[in-house]
């Protein structure tokens, strides 16, 4: 499937069935980026009971469902999904009360 260059949002294909799935996933991804910020930027282990919309900047030594995703943005949408940050992306980190820019 084709995705956008910056956020990796999946685009709807011509004659695609279940277009609502693609559109809903794209909207959830945009919502994750535009949310109120990341809970933490140093967490390495996914929390046991995440709530839909929870966002973290994965720490330097990730484990479990986050393995191999160091420094990615992880958001929970029934499963963990990841966004590769790009230079200039800015996100508020709640547990530090600071803004970080990649």
């Amino acid at each position: 499937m084709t995705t956008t260059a910056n956020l990796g949002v999946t685009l709807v294909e011509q004659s695609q069935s279940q277009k609502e799935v693609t559109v809903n996933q794209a909207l959830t991804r945009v919502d994750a980026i535009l949310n109120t910020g990341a809970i933490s930027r140093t967490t390495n282990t996914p929390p046991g009971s995440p709530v839909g919309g929870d966002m973290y900047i994965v720490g330097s030594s990730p484990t479990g469902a986050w393995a191999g995703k160091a420094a990615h943005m992880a958001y929970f949408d029934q499963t963990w999904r990841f966004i590769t940050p790009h230079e200039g992306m800015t996100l508020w980190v709640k547990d530090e009360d600071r803004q970080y820019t990649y």
Side-chain angles (χ1 to χ4, degrees):
M1 298 192 112
T2 306
T3 61
T4 61
N6 293 311
L7 293 179
V9 174
T10 304
L11 300 174
V12 176
E13 301 284 338
Q14 185 176 8
S15 302
Q16 175 183 332
S17 63
Q18 294 187 315
K19 290 175 175 60
E20 71 280 359
V21 173
T22 300
V23 171
N24 289 342
Q25 287 177 347
L27 291 172
T28 301
R29 189 172 186 89
V30 170
D31 180 65
I33 292 290
L34 299 177
N35 77 7
T36 58
I39 294 170
S40 175
R41 70 176 184 93
T42 57
T43 304
N44 288 304
T45 304
S49 299
V51 175
D54 281 358
M55 163 83 79
Y56 291 84
I57 299 173
V58 179
S60 59
S61 302
T63 62
W66 292 357
K69 298 294 185 179
H72 283 68
M73 293 180 287
Y75 67 97
F76 191 75
D77 174 35
Q78 299 179 7
T79 185
W80 287 106
R81 300 184 188 278
F82 302 93
I83 298 170
T84 303
H86 297 280
E87 185 176 352
M89 291 181 85
T90 300
L91 200 62
W92 183 259
V93 178
K94 295 176 184 180
D95 70 345
E96 297 179 25
D97 285 332
R98 288 189 64 177
Q99 190 175 32
Y100 283 88
T101 302
Y102 285 93

